[in-house]
Short mmCIF file of all heavy atoms in Angstrom, two decimals:
data_model
loop_
_atom_site.label_atom_id
_atom_site.label_comp_id
_atom_site.label_asym_id
_atom_site.label_seq_id
_atom_site.Cartn_x
_atom_site.Cartn_y
_atom_site.Cartn_z
N ASN A 103 -19.21 -47.72 17.53
CA ASN A 103 -19.30 -46.35 17.01
C ASN A 103 -19.73 -45.37 18.10
O ASN A 103 -19.22 -44.25 18.16
CB ASN A 103 -20.27 -46.28 15.83
CG ASN A 103 -19.65 -46.75 14.56
OD1 ASN A 103 -18.44 -46.64 14.37
ND2 ASN A 103 -20.46 -47.29 13.67
N ASN A 104 -20.67 -45.77 18.94
CA ASN A 104 -21.08 -44.90 20.05
C ASN A 104 -19.91 -44.65 21.00
O ASN A 104 -19.73 -43.54 21.48
CB ASN A 104 -22.25 -45.53 20.82
CG ASN A 104 -23.55 -45.42 20.07
OD1 ASN A 104 -23.71 -44.58 19.19
ND2 ASN A 104 -24.49 -46.28 20.40
N LEU A 105 -19.15 -45.69 21.25
CA LEU A 105 -17.99 -45.55 22.12
C LEU A 105 -16.98 -44.58 21.52
O LEU A 105 -16.46 -43.70 22.22
CB LEU A 105 -17.35 -46.93 22.32
CG LEU A 105 -16.23 -47.05 23.33
CD1 LEU A 105 -16.71 -46.67 24.72
CD2 LEU A 105 -15.68 -48.46 23.33
N LEU A 106 -16.73 -44.70 20.24
CA LEU A 106 -15.81 -43.77 19.58
C LEU A 106 -16.32 -42.34 19.61
O LEU A 106 -15.53 -41.40 19.78
CB LEU A 106 -15.56 -44.20 18.14
CG LEU A 106 -14.58 -45.34 17.93
CD1 LEU A 106 -14.46 -45.70 16.47
CD2 LEU A 106 -13.21 -44.97 18.49
N SER A 107 -17.60 -42.16 19.45
CA SER A 107 -18.14 -40.80 19.46
C SER A 107 -17.96 -40.13 20.83
O SER A 107 -17.79 -38.92 20.90
CB SER A 107 -19.60 -40.78 19.04
OG SER A 107 -20.41 -41.38 20.02
N HIS A 108 -17.97 -40.92 21.89
CA HIS A 108 -17.78 -40.36 23.24
C HIS A 108 -16.33 -39.95 23.50
O HIS A 108 -16.09 -39.05 24.29
CB HIS A 108 -18.22 -41.36 24.31
CG HIS A 108 -19.70 -41.52 24.42
ND1 HIS A 108 -20.55 -40.48 24.72
CD2 HIS A 108 -20.49 -42.61 24.25
CE1 HIS A 108 -21.80 -40.92 24.74
NE2 HIS A 108 -21.79 -42.21 24.45
N VAL A 109 -15.39 -40.63 22.86
CA VAL A 109 -13.98 -40.37 23.17
C VAL A 109 -13.20 -39.78 22.00
O VAL A 109 -11.99 -39.62 22.09
CB VAL A 109 -13.28 -41.68 23.65
CG1 VAL A 109 -13.91 -42.19 24.91
CG2 VAL A 109 -13.28 -42.74 22.57
N GLN A 110 -13.88 -39.41 20.92
CA GLN A 110 -13.17 -38.93 19.74
C GLN A 110 -12.37 -37.66 20.01
O GLN A 110 -11.32 -37.46 19.40
CB GLN A 110 -14.12 -38.74 18.58
CG GLN A 110 -15.12 -37.63 18.73
CD GLN A 110 -16.09 -37.59 17.57
OE1 GLN A 110 -16.01 -38.41 16.65
NE2 GLN A 110 -17.00 -36.64 17.61
N ASN A 111 -12.83 -36.82 20.91
CA ASN A 111 -12.06 -35.59 21.19
C ASN A 111 -10.74 -35.91 21.89
O ASN A 111 -9.78 -35.17 21.74
CB ASN A 111 -12.89 -34.61 22.01
CG ASN A 111 -13.32 -35.18 23.34
OD1 ASN A 111 -13.42 -36.39 23.50
ND2 ASN A 111 -13.60 -34.31 24.30
N ILE A 112 -10.67 -37.01 22.62
CA ILE A 112 -9.43 -37.39 23.30
C ILE A 112 -8.43 -37.99 22.31
O ILE A 112 -7.24 -37.73 22.38
CB ILE A 112 -9.72 -38.41 24.43
CG1 ILE A 112 -10.62 -37.77 25.47
CG2 ILE A 112 -8.43 -38.92 25.06
CD1 ILE A 112 -11.18 -38.76 26.48
N PHE A 113 -8.92 -38.77 21.35
CA PHE A 113 -8.05 -39.49 20.41
C PHE A 113 -8.02 -38.86 19.03
O PHE A 113 -7.56 -39.49 18.08
CB PHE A 113 -8.51 -40.95 20.31
CG PHE A 113 -8.40 -41.70 21.59
CD1 PHE A 113 -9.53 -41.99 22.34
CD2 PHE A 113 -7.17 -42.11 22.07
CE1 PHE A 113 -9.43 -42.68 23.53
CE2 PHE A 113 -7.07 -42.80 23.26
CZ PHE A 113 -8.19 -43.09 23.99
N PHE A 114 -8.46 -37.61 18.92
CA PHE A 114 -8.58 -36.95 17.62
C PHE A 114 -7.24 -36.89 16.88
O PHE A 114 -7.19 -37.08 15.67
CB PHE A 114 -9.17 -35.55 17.79
CG PHE A 114 -9.37 -34.83 16.50
CD1 PHE A 114 -10.39 -35.21 15.64
CD2 PHE A 114 -8.55 -33.78 16.13
CE1 PHE A 114 -10.59 -34.56 14.45
CE2 PHE A 114 -8.74 -33.12 14.93
CZ PHE A 114 -9.77 -33.51 14.08
N THR A 115 -6.15 -36.63 17.57
CA THR A 115 -4.85 -36.48 16.93
C THR A 115 -4.08 -37.78 16.83
O THR A 115 -2.96 -37.80 16.34
CB THR A 115 -3.99 -35.46 17.69
OG1 THR A 115 -3.79 -35.94 19.02
CG2 THR A 115 -4.64 -34.09 17.71
N LYS A 116 -4.64 -38.87 17.27
CA LYS A 116 -3.96 -40.17 17.27
C LYS A 116 -4.44 -41.01 16.09
O LYS A 116 -5.54 -40.86 15.59
CB LYS A 116 -4.26 -40.92 18.57
CG LYS A 116 -4.06 -40.10 19.82
CD LYS A 116 -2.84 -40.54 20.55
CE LYS A 116 -2.72 -39.84 21.89
NZ LYS A 116 -1.72 -38.84 21.92
N HIS A 117 -3.59 -41.92 15.66
CA HIS A 117 -3.96 -42.90 14.64
C HIS A 117 -4.60 -44.06 15.38
O HIS A 117 -3.92 -44.88 15.99
CB HIS A 117 -2.74 -43.36 13.85
CG HIS A 117 -2.14 -42.28 13.02
ND1 HIS A 117 -2.69 -41.87 11.83
CD2 HIS A 117 -1.05 -41.52 13.23
CE1 HIS A 117 -1.95 -40.90 11.33
NE2 HIS A 117 -0.96 -40.66 12.15
N LEU A 118 -5.91 -44.12 15.34
CA LEU A 118 -6.66 -45.11 16.09
C LEU A 118 -7.28 -46.11 15.12
O LEU A 118 -7.92 -45.75 14.15
CB LEU A 118 -7.77 -44.41 16.88
CG LEU A 118 -8.49 -45.21 17.94
CD1 LEU A 118 -7.55 -45.55 19.09
CD2 LEU A 118 -9.68 -44.42 18.47
N TYR A 119 -7.06 -47.39 15.40
CA TYR A 119 -7.59 -48.47 14.58
C TYR A 119 -8.56 -49.27 15.42
O TYR A 119 -8.26 -49.62 16.55
CB TYR A 119 -6.46 -49.38 14.09
CG TYR A 119 -5.41 -48.65 13.29
CD1 TYR A 119 -4.33 -48.03 13.92
CD2 TYR A 119 -5.50 -48.57 11.91
CE1 TYR A 119 -3.37 -47.34 13.19
CE2 TYR A 119 -4.55 -47.90 11.17
CZ TYR A 119 -3.49 -47.29 11.82
OH TYR A 119 -2.55 -46.62 11.10
N MET A 120 -9.73 -49.58 14.84
CA MET A 120 -10.71 -50.37 15.57
C MET A 120 -11.37 -51.35 14.61
O MET A 120 -11.68 -50.99 13.47
CB MET A 120 -11.77 -49.49 16.22
CG MET A 120 -12.83 -50.27 16.98
SD MET A 120 -14.13 -49.24 17.68
CE MET A 120 -13.48 -48.97 19.31
N ALA A 121 -11.56 -52.56 15.09
CA ALA A 121 -12.28 -53.58 14.32
C ALA A 121 -13.27 -54.25 15.25
O ALA A 121 -13.05 -54.32 16.47
CB ALA A 121 -11.30 -54.59 13.76
N VAL A 122 -14.36 -54.75 14.68
CA VAL A 122 -15.41 -55.40 15.46
C VAL A 122 -15.79 -56.70 14.77
O VAL A 122 -15.98 -56.73 13.55
CB VAL A 122 -16.66 -54.50 15.58
CG1 VAL A 122 -17.74 -55.19 16.40
CG2 VAL A 122 -16.32 -53.15 16.17
N VAL A 123 -15.91 -57.77 15.55
CA VAL A 123 -16.43 -59.04 15.05
C VAL A 123 -17.51 -59.51 16.02
O VAL A 123 -17.51 -59.15 17.19
CB VAL A 123 -15.35 -60.13 14.90
CG1 VAL A 123 -14.34 -59.76 13.85
CG2 VAL A 123 -14.69 -60.43 16.22
N THR A 124 -18.40 -60.32 15.50
CA THR A 124 -19.48 -60.89 16.30
C THR A 124 -19.41 -62.40 16.20
O THR A 124 -19.15 -62.95 15.12
CB THR A 124 -20.84 -60.38 15.79
OG1 THR A 124 -20.85 -58.96 15.87
CG2 THR A 124 -21.98 -60.93 16.63
N ALA A 125 -19.62 -63.07 17.31
CA ALA A 125 -19.63 -64.52 17.32
C ALA A 125 -20.77 -65.04 16.45
O ALA A 125 -21.88 -64.53 16.51
CB ALA A 125 -19.77 -65.03 18.75
N THR A 126 -20.47 -66.03 15.64
CA THR A 126 -21.49 -66.65 14.79
C THR A 126 -21.46 -68.16 15.01
O THR A 126 -20.48 -68.70 15.51
CB THR A 126 -21.24 -66.35 13.30
OG1 THR A 126 -20.01 -66.98 12.91
CG2 THR A 126 -21.18 -64.87 13.02
N THR A 127 -22.52 -68.80 14.62
CA THR A 127 -22.59 -70.25 14.79
C THR A 127 -21.61 -70.98 13.89
O THR A 127 -21.28 -72.14 14.13
CB THR A 127 -24.01 -70.77 14.50
OG1 THR A 127 -24.40 -70.32 13.21
CG2 THR A 127 -24.99 -70.26 15.54
N ASN A 128 -21.11 -70.31 12.85
CA ASN A 128 -20.18 -70.94 11.91
C ASN A 128 -18.72 -70.83 12.34
O ASN A 128 -17.86 -71.41 11.70
CB ASN A 128 -20.33 -70.32 10.52
CG ASN A 128 -21.72 -70.50 9.96
OD1 ASN A 128 -22.44 -71.39 10.39
ND2 ASN A 128 -22.09 -69.67 9.02
N SER A 129 -18.44 -70.07 13.39
CA SER A 129 -17.04 -69.88 13.76
C SER A 129 -16.79 -70.29 15.21
O SER A 129 -17.66 -70.17 16.07
CB SER A 129 -16.62 -68.42 13.56
OG SER A 129 -17.34 -67.57 14.40
N THR A 130 -15.60 -70.76 15.44
CA THR A 130 -15.20 -71.14 16.79
C THR A 130 -14.71 -69.90 17.53
O THR A 130 -14.54 -68.84 16.93
CB THR A 130 -14.06 -72.17 16.75
OG1 THR A 130 -12.91 -71.56 16.14
CG2 THR A 130 -14.47 -73.42 15.98
N GLN A 131 -14.46 -70.07 18.79
CA GLN A 131 -13.92 -68.98 19.61
C GLN A 131 -12.58 -68.53 19.05
O GLN A 131 -12.33 -67.33 18.91
CB GLN A 131 -13.78 -69.51 21.03
CG GLN A 131 -13.20 -68.57 22.03
CD GLN A 131 -13.12 -69.26 23.40
OE1 GLN A 131 -13.74 -70.28 23.64
NE2 GLN A 131 -12.36 -68.68 24.29
N PHE A 132 -11.73 -69.48 18.68
CA PHE A 132 -10.43 -69.15 18.11
C PHE A 132 -10.60 -68.38 16.81
O PHE A 132 -9.93 -67.37 16.58
CB PHE A 132 -9.59 -70.42 17.86
CG PHE A 132 -8.34 -70.14 17.08
CD1 PHE A 132 -7.22 -69.64 17.72
CD2 PHE A 132 -8.29 -70.35 15.71
CE1 PHE A 132 -6.06 -69.36 17.01
CE2 PHE A 132 -7.15 -70.07 14.99
CZ PHE A 132 -6.03 -69.58 15.65
N GLN A 133 -11.49 -68.85 15.94
CA GLN A 133 -11.68 -68.21 14.64
C GLN A 133 -12.21 -66.79 14.79
O GLN A 133 -11.79 -65.88 14.07
CB GLN A 133 -12.63 -69.03 13.76
CG GLN A 133 -12.69 -68.53 12.34
CD GLN A 133 -11.36 -68.62 11.62
OE1 GLN A 133 -10.71 -69.66 11.67
NE2 GLN A 133 -10.95 -67.56 10.97
N THR A 134 -13.09 -66.56 15.74
CA THR A 134 -13.64 -65.23 15.97
C THR A 134 -12.53 -64.26 16.36
O THR A 134 -12.41 -63.16 15.80
CB THR A 134 -14.71 -65.28 17.08
OG1 THR A 134 -15.75 -66.18 16.67
CG2 THR A 134 -15.30 -63.91 17.35
N VAL A 135 -11.69 -64.66 17.30
CA VAL A 135 -10.57 -63.82 17.74
C VAL A 135 -9.55 -63.64 16.63
O VAL A 135 -9.04 -62.54 16.40
CB VAL A 135 -9.93 -64.39 19.03
CG1 VAL A 135 -8.65 -63.66 19.39
CG2 VAL A 135 -10.93 -64.34 20.18
N HIS A 136 -9.27 -64.70 15.90
CA HIS A 136 -8.31 -64.64 14.79
C HIS A 136 -8.79 -63.66 13.72
O HIS A 136 -8.00 -62.85 13.21
CB HIS A 136 -8.11 -66.05 14.20
CG HIS A 136 -7.09 -66.11 13.13
ND1 HIS A 136 -5.74 -66.06 13.39
CD2 HIS A 136 -7.22 -66.19 11.78
CE1 HIS A 136 -5.07 -66.12 12.25
NE2 HIS A 136 -5.94 -66.20 11.26
N ASP A 137 -10.07 -63.72 13.39
CA ASP A 137 -10.63 -62.78 12.40
C ASP A 137 -10.50 -61.34 12.86
O ASP A 137 -10.23 -60.44 12.06
CB ASP A 137 -12.11 -63.10 12.13
CG ASP A 137 -12.29 -64.41 11.38
OD1 ASP A 137 -11.32 -64.96 10.85
OD2 ASP A 137 -13.46 -64.87 11.34
N LEU A 138 -10.69 -61.11 14.14
CA LEU A 138 -10.56 -59.76 14.70
C LEU A 138 -9.15 -59.22 14.51
O LEU A 138 -8.96 -58.09 14.06
CB LEU A 138 -10.93 -59.79 16.18
CG LEU A 138 -10.90 -58.48 16.95
CD1 LEU A 138 -11.92 -57.50 16.36
CD2 LEU A 138 -11.20 -58.73 18.41
N PHE A 139 -8.16 -60.04 14.81
CA PHE A 139 -6.78 -59.61 14.64
C PHE A 139 -6.42 -59.46 13.16
O PHE A 139 -5.62 -58.60 12.80
CB PHE A 139 -5.83 -60.57 15.35
CG PHE A 139 -5.70 -60.28 16.81
CD1 PHE A 139 -6.62 -60.78 17.72
CD2 PHE A 139 -4.67 -59.48 17.29
CE1 PHE A 139 -6.52 -60.50 19.07
CE2 PHE A 139 -4.56 -59.19 18.64
CZ PHE A 139 -5.48 -59.70 19.53
N ASP A 140 -7.01 -60.28 12.30
CA ASP A 140 -6.80 -60.11 10.85
C ASP A 140 -7.31 -58.76 10.37
O ASP A 140 -6.68 -58.10 9.55
CB ASP A 140 -7.51 -61.22 10.07
CG ASP A 140 -6.73 -62.52 10.04
OD1 ASP A 140 -5.55 -62.53 10.45
OD2 ASP A 140 -7.32 -63.53 9.61
N LEU A 141 -8.46 -58.33 10.88
CA LEU A 141 -9.02 -57.04 10.49
C LEU A 141 -8.11 -55.88 10.91
O LEU A 141 -7.91 -54.93 10.15
CB LEU A 141 -10.42 -56.86 11.09
CG LEU A 141 -11.52 -57.71 10.47
CD1 LEU A 141 -12.80 -57.61 11.30
CD2 LEU A 141 -11.77 -57.29 9.03
N ILE A 142 -7.57 -55.95 12.13
CA ILE A 142 -6.66 -54.90 12.59
C ILE A 142 -5.37 -54.92 11.77
O ILE A 142 -4.85 -53.86 11.38
CB ILE A 142 -6.36 -55.04 14.10
CG1 ILE A 142 -7.59 -54.66 14.92
CG2 ILE A 142 -5.16 -54.20 14.51
CD1 ILE A 142 -7.94 -53.18 14.90
N ALA A 143 -4.84 -56.11 11.48
CA ALA A 143 -3.63 -56.20 10.69
C ALA A 143 -3.86 -55.62 9.28
O ALA A 143 -3.00 -54.90 8.75
CB ALA A 143 -3.16 -57.65 10.59
N TYR A 144 -5.01 -55.89 8.70
CA TYR A 144 -5.35 -55.33 7.40
C TYR A 144 -5.41 -53.80 7.48
O TYR A 144 -4.89 -53.11 6.60
CB TYR A 144 -6.69 -55.90 6.91
CG TYR A 144 -7.10 -55.38 5.56
CD1 TYR A 144 -6.63 -55.99 4.40
CD2 TYR A 144 -7.94 -54.27 5.43
CE1 TYR A 144 -7.00 -55.52 3.15
CE2 TYR A 144 -8.30 -53.79 4.19
CZ TYR A 144 -7.83 -54.41 3.04
OH TYR A 144 -8.17 -53.94 1.81
N ALA A 145 -6.05 -53.29 8.51
CA ALA A 145 -6.15 -51.84 8.68
C ALA A 145 -4.77 -51.21 8.84
O ALA A 145 -4.50 -50.15 8.28
CB ALA A 145 -7.02 -51.51 9.88
N LEU A 146 -3.89 -51.87 9.58
CA LEU A 146 -2.54 -51.34 9.75
C LEU A 146 -1.76 -51.37 8.44
O LEU A 146 -1.07 -50.41 8.11
CB LEU A 146 -1.79 -52.15 10.81
CG LEU A 146 -2.19 -51.90 12.25
CD1 LEU A 146 -1.60 -52.95 13.17
CD2 LEU A 146 -1.76 -50.51 12.69
N ASN A 147 -1.87 -52.47 7.70
CA ASN A 147 -1.16 -52.59 6.42
C ASN A 147 -1.62 -51.56 5.40
O ASN A 147 -0.84 -51.11 4.57
CB ASN A 147 -1.36 -53.99 5.84
CG ASN A 147 -0.45 -55.00 6.47
OD1 ASN A 147 0.67 -54.69 6.86
ND2 ASN A 147 -0.93 -56.22 6.59
N HIS A 148 -2.89 -51.17 5.48
CA HIS A 148 -3.45 -50.24 4.49
C HIS A 148 -3.73 -48.86 5.07
O HIS A 148 -4.41 -48.05 4.45
CB HIS A 148 -4.72 -50.84 3.90
CG HIS A 148 -4.45 -52.07 3.10
ND1 HIS A 148 -4.42 -53.34 3.66
CD2 HIS A 148 -4.12 -52.25 1.80
CE1 HIS A 148 -4.13 -54.23 2.75
NE2 HIS A 148 -3.93 -53.60 1.58
N ASN A 149 -3.22 -48.61 6.27
CA ASN A 149 -3.33 -47.31 6.92
C ASN A 149 -4.78 -46.82 6.98
O ASN A 149 -5.10 -45.70 6.60
CB ASN A 149 -2.44 -46.28 6.23
CG ASN A 149 -2.16 -45.10 7.15
OD1 ASN A 149 -2.21 -45.23 8.37
ND2 ASN A 149 -1.87 -43.95 6.57
#
């Protein structure tokens, strides 16, 4: 969110999608990355 606040004036007119995941003890490296891409795909599907 801090990063977005610094650059929001540059990307104000663009359709920008962002998702964030955090590594947890219950997920593997693959699962963490896969979940991240699932979140972006969901955001794209639902605009």
Side-chain angles (χ1 to χ4, degrees):
N103 281 331
N104 285 339
L105 187 61
L106 281 178
S107 69
H108 287 300
V109 297
Q110 68 185 1
N111 60 335
I112 298 169
F113 297 105
F114 183 72
T115 61
K116 311 253 187 254
H117 294 282
L118 192 67
Y119 301 87
M120 180 183 266
V122 180
V123 295
T124 301
T126 65
T127 54
N128 299 338
S129 64
T130 64
Q131 178 180 345
F132 171 81
Q133 189 62 48
T134 301
V135 171
H136 184 75
D137 291 347
L138 181 62
F139 278 84
D140 280 349
L141 288 171
I142 288 290
Y144 181 85
L146 285 168
N147 280 327
H148 294 89
N149 201 25

